[in-house]
Amino acid sequence: MIVWVNPVSGISGDMFLGALLELGAPVEGVRAAVASTGLTGWTLEPRRVHRAGLAATHAGVRVDDDVPARRAAELRALVARARPDAVAAVAVAAVDALTEVEAALHGVRPEEVHLHEIGGVDTVVDTVGVAAALHLLDVRTVRSGPLGLGAGTVGGSHGVLPLPAPATAALLARARAPVTSTGLPGESVTPTGIALLLAVGAEFGPVPTMTVQGVGYGAGSRDVPGRPNVLQALLGAHGPEAGGHEEMTVLETTVDDVSGEVLGHVLERLLEAGAADCWITPATMKKSRPGHVVHVLVAAARLETCEEVLLRETGSLGSRRVRVDRRALPRHFSTVEVGGRSIRVKHGPWGAKPEHDDVAAAAAALGLPLREVADLARAALARTG
């Protein structure tokens, strides 16, 4: 799935999370991911609100926490405990981006950084929550329109700062993000909002070609007269989710000096980089040496990135590109609950199957055998029809 966000009124962590919840990300699944960090003293309470007359979801976080600032390392350690691992990876990337720009701004090492306005419980909820919501919606690609910036100043722990705030401005430069003016005073793009876009590898541009399957509006905390203070997000399908034919590329490289452990690692990195699929076949090479061929199926948008990962991780001196036409049947996702854990189910024309990663995470959390949790997920699906 793909999400295109339209931040004409800006973006923040809670706006992003609210939009994803409105798109159908199960709030219990998001809460479970945040709870897996071990964080206490918080409650996620999304509610329907109106911003300049437009209905939207505000991902409100109630906090019983009086810690004004945290060391960046402490915040990173918290989000790194999130489960599943894919959620932790996004949240850690967002916190790392925040830490690195703060370190550069204050002339200190990253391990010395104290996060003030972005060091609270709500930052953990926002970063892990957005990562979990994207995972639960099976979003593989995030794209964004230009970011609307407010003007003026904002108060912080270091005094009155210009807008965009220095950390936000540094992150915008790092992302090479296109921006525009909202024409309104006040902060509209927060450091956490742009850090999350960086963490998920968002690309900036117009609405991509896709089949729109949902729209969500995430509300900011302020109600600005005459301009809905919301983040619009479109959930769509392209490629396999939409069905039909699409042109893709199969990358290949042949290796004879890479261990099985490294080959498994290569597949994980390729999928994280956006490969649609990847696999390994044994091969007999020249002089009858045993080897392996690593195959990567990838769309044009992620081709260069995946090829770089393939060559870097295997140490190979080259790769082959083969253009292919892939036919993909349409599919969609739903969610079932097993023991309070959310498990995604992939539906195709000829059946449905619980997602293995979610089943494995639930089995580990519940202390049950994998096959038992899979059976319970299928039973829950049968009950929902």
Side-chain angles (χ1 to χ4, degrees), residues 29-112:
V30 171
R31 287 180 179 136
V34 176
S36 70
T37 67
L39 184 71
T40 59
W42 62 276
T43 305
L44 174 61
E45 297 179 345
R47 60 191 181 92
R48 295 288 284 169
V49 297
H50 286 83
R51 296 290 181 259
L54 181 64
T57 295
H58 182 240
V61 180
R62 291 181 56 188
V63 176
D64 299 321
D65 177 58
D66 56 2
V67 179
R70 281 181 170 82
R71 292 177 55 245
E74 181 184 352
L75 204 66
R76 189 184 195 277
L78 273 171
V79 302
R81 292 201 292 262
R83 290 295 176 269
D85 289 341
V87 171
V90 170
V92 166
V95 171
D96 283 349
L98 292 168
T99 301
E100 289 161 10
V101 297
E102 289 286 351
L105 286 168
H106 298 294
V108 299
R109 293 175 299 180
E111 58 268 25
E112 298 172 340

Side-chain angles (χ1 to χ4, degrees), residues 9-10 147-152 163-164 180-189 222:
S9 295
L147 295 149
L149 296 180
L163 289 175
T180 186
S181 173
T182 64
L184 297 171
E187 185 177 41
S188 59
V189 175
R222 296 180 299 151

Side-chain angles (χ1 to χ4, degrees), residues 259-306:
S259 69
E261 292 88 351
V262 171
L263 287 173
H265 172 79
V266 171
L267 297 189
E268 292 176 3
R269 297 290 82 78
L270 287 166
L271 291 172
E272 290 175 358
D277 198 2
C278 50
W279 64 98
I280 295 171
T281 57
T284 301
M285 302 174 62
K286 60 186 178 182
K287 300 181 181 179
S288 299
R289 293 198 304 266
H292 296 90
V293 183
V294 184
H295 312 264
V296 189
L297 181 66
V298 60
R302 309 304 296 172
L303 176 59
E304 299 298 333
T305 300
C306 286

